[in-house]
């Protein structure tokens, strides 16, 4: 039976505490990405992050929540990067307790619908080279590698990123 999920925008003013609690539950990814523990600044950074050159008001921070309102996923999508008709997914993170249950796919469908409403022509996402599981998800969803980047520092770790793209 498919779980009923609610997808809704997030605002720093109303949701920072819920997003901070979510990051505590998803601390495995924060540690994997940055080599650091999730803390109070992690949620703040989520609300401040956006793709280069994108207007903060033209990015979408959203949640996937259970019927009881508990957040089980968060996403960040900017519009107009790297090209004007693009939607760039900066983060799609699912609670470890519900991974591999189709939540990511449902959340991505919601993001695709939003990108289409905004007349985007393609979606992009950057995946850490070490994140084989994440990359497999994106590839199953029709994303293909467009470009690989030189290693870069994220927190205390160094990662190679691969940018994947999918036409809409």
């Amino acid at each position: 039976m498919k779980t009923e999920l609610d997808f809704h925008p997030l605002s720093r003013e109303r949701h920072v505490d819920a997003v901070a609690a979510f990051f505590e539950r998803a601390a495995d990814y924060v540690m994997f990405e940055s080599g650091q523990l999730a803390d109070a600044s992690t949620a703040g950074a989520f609300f401040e992050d956006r793709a280069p050159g994108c207007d903060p008001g033209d990015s979408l921070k959203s949640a996937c929540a259970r019927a009881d309102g508990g957040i089980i996923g968060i996403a960040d999508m900017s519009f107009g990067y790297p090209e004007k008709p693009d939607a760039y997914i900066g983060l799609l993170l699912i609670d470890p307790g519900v991974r591999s249950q189709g939540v990511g796919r449902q959340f991505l469908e919601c993001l695709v619908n939003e990108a289409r409403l905004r007349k985007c022509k393609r979606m992009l996402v950057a995946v850490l080279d070490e994140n084989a599981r994440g990359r497999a998800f994106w590839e199953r969803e029709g994303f293909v590698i467009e470009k690989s980047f030189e290693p870069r520092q994220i927190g205390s770790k160094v990662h190679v990123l691969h940018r994947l793209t999918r036409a809409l």
Side-chain angles (χ1 to χ4, degrees):
M1 184 166 98
K2 194 172 180 179
T3 305
E4 197 62 36
L5 299 174
D6 173 51
F7 301 94
H8 59 84
L10 293 168
S11 71
R12 180 183 211 125
E13 298 75 26
R14 293 184 56 218
H15 301 106
V16 70
D17 291 337
V19 169
F22 172 81
F23 272 117
E24 285 180 21
R25 291 191 311 280
D28 63 326
Y29 182 79
V30 176
M31 180 62 78
F32 176 76
E33 178 189 48
S34 67
Q36 300 167 339
L37 295 172
D39 62 20
S41 69
T42 308
F46 168 77
F47 285 104
E48 292 167 15
D49 263 357
R50 70 193 58 75
C54 289
D55 180 345
D58 200 23
S59 69
L60 176 67
K61 311 293 184 185
S62 45
C64 172
R66 294 183 304 254
D68 66 6
I71 293 175
I72 59 171
I74 60 172
D76 170 27
M77 188 163 61
S78 296
F79 301 93
Y81 178 82
E83 305 290 331
K84 182 129 181 84
D86 293 338
Y88 185 87
I89 301 169
L91 180 68
L92 176 62
L93 184 58
I94 305 300
D95 186 302
V98 296
R99 289 181 190 155
S100 299
Q101 296 179 26
V103 174
R105 174 174 277 176
Q106 290 180 63
F107 206 165
L108 178 58
E109 286 176 24
C110 178
L111 296 176
V112 165
N113 291 338
E114 183 65 31
R116 286 183 174 143
L117 283 172
R118 294 179 187 228
K119 309 283 191 243
C120 294
K121 302 294 183 206
R122 67 182 182 154
M123 295 183 86
L124 299 98
V125 64
V127 179
L128 303 176
D129 187 60
E130 293 178 47
N131 190 357
R133 206 170 155 204
R135 183 171 163 182
F137 166 80
W138 294 110
E139 289 175 343
R140 276 193 312 273
E141 296 303 319
F143 286 77
V144 295
I145 289 185
E146 176 189 70
K147 180 179 183 177
S148 295
F149 296 92
E150 292 293 320
R152 64 180 63 179
Q153 187 90 27
I154 302 176
S156 65
K157 296 185 84 176
V158 175
H159 293 284
V160 170
L161 281 85
H162 304 287
R163 186 163 70 196
L164 286 75
T165 183
R166 170 182 154 177
L168 290 175

